[in-house]
Amino acid sequence: MIKLLRIEFKKIRSYKVFWILISLYFVFLAAGILLAEFMINHMVNNINSRMPIPFPHVAIYYFPDVWQNVTFFASIRYVLIFPAIIMIILIANEFTYKTIRQNVINGMSKTEFLISKLLIILLMAGVMTVILAAGAFFIGLSHSGFNEVDFFSKGVPFMMGFFISLICYMVYAFFCGFILRNTGLAIAIFTLYSLIIEPVIYFFLRAPFMFKNTIYTYLPVNSVIRLTEYPAIPMLKKLMGLNLQDHVSFVACLIPIGYAVIMTGIVFWVMNRKDL
Amino acid sequence: MESILQVDQLSKSFGKIKAVNQLSFKVGKGQVFGILGPNGSGKTTTLSMLLGLIPPDKGEFSWFGQPPSKESRKRIGSVIESPNFFPYLDAVTNLQIVADIKDKPYDDIDEVLQLASLYERRFSKFRTFSFGMRQRLAIASALLGKPEVLILDEPTNGLDPQGIAQIRELIALVASRGTTILLASHLLDEVQKICTYVLVLRNGVMLFSGDVKEVLSVSDSIEMAAADMHLLKTAVPELPGFSSITETDGIIQVHFSSTVKTSEVNAFLYQKGIVLSHLSEKKRSLEQHFLELLQDTP
Ligand SMILES: Nc1ncnc2c1ncn2[C@@H]1O[C@H](COP(=O)(O)OP(=O)(O)OP(=O)(O)O)[C@@H](O)[C@H]1O
Ligand SMILES: [Mg+2]
């Protein structure tokens, strides 16, 4: 296992594209999270200019809601797509450069090859979650001060949820890159599906003319990003009558986990039957 | 002789094309074994099956007397068709990955890079290598960790004449250390120069297999000319081991089914009163033999 990780690490270490994408991810992530409050309050100002009774400004960076809010903004499609694209590149490159063939010829088993990629997913998801948690903690501290009572109640459940989101979404990407075996094609199809096709399907499934259904909760990408359904903004609760979650639903996690398990199974099945 | 590789009834089809058809052979320890065949005859497909890249439709094979596994592959160094490396990593890192997979230390890396004349470029990215340099790096990686078997598919592809000579020397050196070598090529000259044993493939079927020396020695012919060609032609069939005769431009080519010495031929004809104006021995090259094999069989 350590050996497989060491090999993967060598493959990544001086790969510029990887580090550029990772950096972009963190830039987008930080920008999204840090600008969120400003953007929301900008909207509130706009609304207030046409309203007799002004809404109060929102504050989203205080404990314990900061955990949930940070997770919500880190899970939006446009941010989550970065680690997925990285994963597609890492697997599809192995086919493009035929290094997967060479690894097997040199004495890696096909199973070991797949396990090494799954380990990278786990590791990347782990590191990203820890960084997000650290970020959330510092944002929370700098906004709430030390006199807050409830620091962590939402920390563990939402960070766990984020960890699961990342793993599942990267497994989808891994599946896509493995099946299509072509970096450009896989990125194009995956991005198209995640950012356009599925949102369109979602829109139709929830349109007023549709019969009442819950099919939309089973859409693969939607099920990943909706583990944290809404940001914790008390005003939203009052305005729209939303039931705010105080933890990530375990049952909701089962849907993306189910998809990820099935996809992993298919990948192993194909790997042991198809020519390399 | 201890057998390193045993192949039994190996078959693989791609749709209607029978790429490899009921192929059986054995490679002994220390042999330099050539697989010879025209383009598309199934050489790469055979080697790909032996290295676990393509699952065979039928048939079996064993490495070192055991069913194939990743452990057996770690004892084999191979170059199949094209050099496969990460373009954005330098030569050393690419080789470290190979060493990691094979559970071998990094100690050999400098040595194999020197053998492949790539030591000066060891920190250059693979992407920046020329075609021939890539091929050399592939051979360097195959030599890493002193493998017991070396498998080379068209190893001199794309190399300059100097490079070809170097690789041949390298193969000879490795063979002299007792490494078993399995070499696929469509270059007869290459097989003739390097291999001790040859297997000829066509359309996935084995046409012939045997010792390279035997192939060469049975196929001698001798060219002759004399003032009295008529007399010569009547006398020649009496030579021991005579098989057939052909004539071009006033010179006859006499083929023998067994080896003959030109001195004996000369003495024999002189006794008959024939003075030869031309006498020369023609070793039939493997190429001619190979072409005949391919023509003979439908
Ligand atoms: N992946 C594939 N799909 C379909 N047909 C294939 C595939 N790989 C090989 N073939 C076919 O199998 C046959 C044998 O191919 P192979 O590559 O083994 O030949 P080769 O002896 O290595 O030829 P060359 O000297 O050109 O390298 C050819 O007819 C080829 O078209
Ligand atoms: Mg070939």
Side-chain angles (χ1 to χ4, degrees):
Chain A
M1 220 125 97
I2 300 292
K3 172 185 151 186
L4 295 181
L5 272 178
R6 190 170 63 216
I7 293 170
E8 284 305 305
F9 188 65
K10 282 223 178 71
K11 291 178 182 177
I12 293 171
R13 195 180 55 195
S14 47
Y15 186 29
K16 279 205 199 84
V17 176
F18 174 83
W19 294 109
I20 291 173
L21 284 173
I22 284 275
S23 313
L24 274 177
Y25 167 71
F26 283 112
V27 167
F28 270 60
L29 184 67
I33 291 170
L34 295 174
L35 290 178
E37 192 180 85
F38 173 78
M39 301 280 274
I40 295 173
N41 283 330
H42 185 70
M43 284 196 300
V44 172
N45 284 340
N46 273 345
I47 300 171
N48 283 350
S49 64
R50 282 174 269 121
M51 290 280 180
I53 315 156
F55 288 111
H57 278 180
V58 298
I60 61 174
Y61 299 135
Y62 55 86
F63 286 122
D65 286 347
V66 64
W67 299 110
Q68 177 175 357
N69 293 332
V70 158
T71 311
F72 176 84
F73 291 109
S75 308
I76 57 179
R77 292 169 197 262
Y78 301 97
V79 178
L80 217 49
I81 196 90
F82 279 94
I85 287 176
I86 292 172
M87 211 47 229
I88 291 178
I89 291 176
L90 291 186
I91 181 69
N93 270 357
E94 299 267 3
F95 286 100
T96 312
Y97 305 143
K98 293 189 180 171
T99 39
I100 180 172
R101 282 168 55 106
Q102 201 60 43
N103 286 176
V104 170
I105 288 175
N106 288 340
M108 198 185 257
S109 74
K110 293 178 174 181
T111 309
E112 280 177 332
F113 181 86
L114 294 179
I115 287 177
S116 69
K117 294 296 175 210
L118 294 178
L119 282 176
I120 278 293
I121 292 181
L122 282 181
L123 194 71
M124 271 173 61
V127 170
M128 287 174 172
T129 306
V130 167
I131 292 178
L132 187 75
F137 183 67
F138 283 112
I139 294 172
L141 267 190
S142 63
H143 285 79
S144 324
F146 291 94
N147 48 1
E148 200 69 44
V149 213
D150 184 6
F151 276 101
F152 294 114
S153 69
K154 285 186 167 184
V156 174
F158 281 98
M159 285 304 145
M160 276 303 290
F162 182 65
F163 184 56
I164 292 171
S165 300
L166 271 179
I167 292 176
C168 294
Y169 198 50
M170 283 198 279
V171 168
Y172 296 177
F174 170 62
F175 174 78
C176 179
F178 181 87
I179 296 297
L180 295 175
R181 296 183 167 202
N182 176 307
T183 319
L185 186 68
I187 291 179
I189 288 184
F190 192 84
T191 312
L192 203 65
Y193 179 80
S194 287
L195 301 186
I196 297 173
I197 297 176
E198 208 190 88
V200 168
I201 298 173
Y202 180 86
F203 175 79
F204 277 105
L205 284 173
R206 303 210 69 183
F209 58 80
M210 280 291 291
F211 58 96
K212 270 223 168 314
N213 66 70
T214 55
I215 303 172
Y216 69 90
T217 56
Y218 295 98
L219 293 173
V221 180
N222 190 60
S223 69
V224 163
I225 63 175
R226 285 301 142 106
L227 286 184
T228 310
E229 290 178 75
Y230 302 101
I233 301 172
M235 188 183 64
L236 271 180
K237 192 174 178 176
K238 284 188 211 129
L239 268 183
M240 311 197 204
L242 289 173
N243 264 335
L244 285 189
Q245 51 184 157
D246 55 4
H247 65 280
V248 172
S249 147
F250 176 70
V251 179
C253 288
L254 290 180
I255 298 169
I257 290 177
Y259 279 117
V261 167
I262 292 170
M263 287 178 187
T264 309
I266 294 175
V267 166
F268 273 87
W269 191 85
V270 169
M271 181 73 163
N272 282 307
R273 270 157 198 81
K274 230 178 140 180
D275 302 345
L276 279 181
Chain B
M1 186 164 36
E2 192 186 332
S3 145
I4 291 281
L5 168 67
Q6 217 158 1
V7 179
D8 188 29
Q9 303 279 309
L10 205 61
S11 305
K12 175 74 189 181
S13 303
F14 296 107
K16 276 186 189 160
I17 302 166
K18 286 187 174 166
V20 176
N21 198 352
Q22 311 236 323
L23 187 61
S24 302
F25 64 93
K26 239 188 238 184
V27 179
K29 192 170 165 62
Q31 248 178 359
V32 182
F33 193 102
I35 299 180
L36 193 56
N39 294 134
S41 55
K43 303 181 295 290
T44 302
T45 308
T46 303
L47 296 181
S48 299
M49 286 192 281
L50 296 180
L51 290 167
L53 293 177
I54 301 181
D57 293 341
K58 262 194 250 132
E60 286 176 350
F61 59 92
S62 65
W63 279 108
F64 313 105
Q66 278 154 5
S69 69
K70 63 175 178 147
E71 296 308 324
S72 56
R73 292 198 298 272
K74 286 178 189 170
R75 299 162 69 180
I76 305 168
S78 354
V79 184
I80 300 295
E81 277 195 325
S82 57
N84 307 320
F85 294 101
F86 289 98
Y88 52 82
L89 297 181
D90 61 27
V92 171
T93 313
N94 268 307
L95 291 186
Q96 282 177 354
I97 291 176
V98 176
D100 281 341
I101 294 175
K102 285 184 173 297
D103 296 322
K104 298 278 157 70
Y106 296 164
D107 310 353
D108 276 7
I109 290 178
D110 281 357
E111 187 194 330
V112 294
L113 281 169
Q114 262 152 0
L115 278 177
S117 319
L118 283 173
Y119 188 71
E120 278 67 40
R121 295 291 300 272
R122 65 192 182 284
F123 295 124
S124 300
K125 301 227 181 306
F126 178 68
R127 181 177 358 106
T128 67
F129 281 11
S130 74
F131 192 81
M133 290 162 74
R134 290 170 189 213
Q135 197 74 17
R136 285 158 196 258
L137 186 64
I139 291 168
S141 107
L143 291 174
L144 202 62
K146 309 220 168 21
E148 292 158 63
V149 182
L150 194 60
I151 296 186
L152 303 166
D153 189 7
E154 323 272 1
T156 55
N157 219 348
L159 294 185
D160 52 25
Q162 193 194 349
I164 292 175
Q166 261 179 7
I167 295 305
R168 281 188 190 152
E169 274 170 36
L170 205 60
I171 294 173
L173 176 77
V174 174
S176 73
R177 288 182 191 159
T179 309
T180 310
I181 297 176
L182 194 57
L183 174 110
S185 179
H186 55 255
L187 301 174
L188 304 131
D189 181 47
E190 189 160 277
V191 171
Q192 190 172 3
K193 285 198 175 119
I194 298 174
C195 299
T196 50
Y197 200 90
V198 63
L199 180 155
V200 181
L201 266 186
R202 195 190 57 174
N203 296 335
V205 180
M206 185 179 84
L207 289 185
F208 167 87
S209 79
D211 208 283
V212 170
K213 276 203 205 91
E214 275 170 35
V215 180
L216 291 175
S217 59
V218 259
S219 20
D220 287 351
S221 69
I222 295 178
E223 280 186 358
M224 296 172 222
D228 192 343
M229 287 301 279
H230 183 71
L231 188 62
L232 178 63
K233 274 190 263 182
T234 49
V236 155
E238 293 168 36
L239 281 162
F242 170 85
S243 85
S244 64
I245 185 168
T246 49
E247 183 174 0
T248 40
D249 301 331
I251 293 179
I252 56 168
Q253 288 88 33
V254 187
H255 306 284
F256 296 90
S257 56
S258 60
T259 349
V260 271
K261 290 206 172 78
T262 41
S263 53
E264 284 167 10
V265 171
N266 201 7
F268 176 85
L269 292 173
Y270 192 73
Q271 274 174 8
K272 296 252 171 195
I274 304 167
V275 180
L276 291 172
S277 59
H278 174 84
L279 174 67
S280 97
E281 188 180 15
K282 291 280 168 224
K283 287 257 182 214
R284 225 159 44 160
S285 71
L286 193 56
E287 177 152 5
Q288 277 162 304
H289 189 78
F290 177 67
L291 290 175
E292 276 165 31
L293 266 175
L294 293 181
Q295 272 166 7
D296 287 353
T297 27

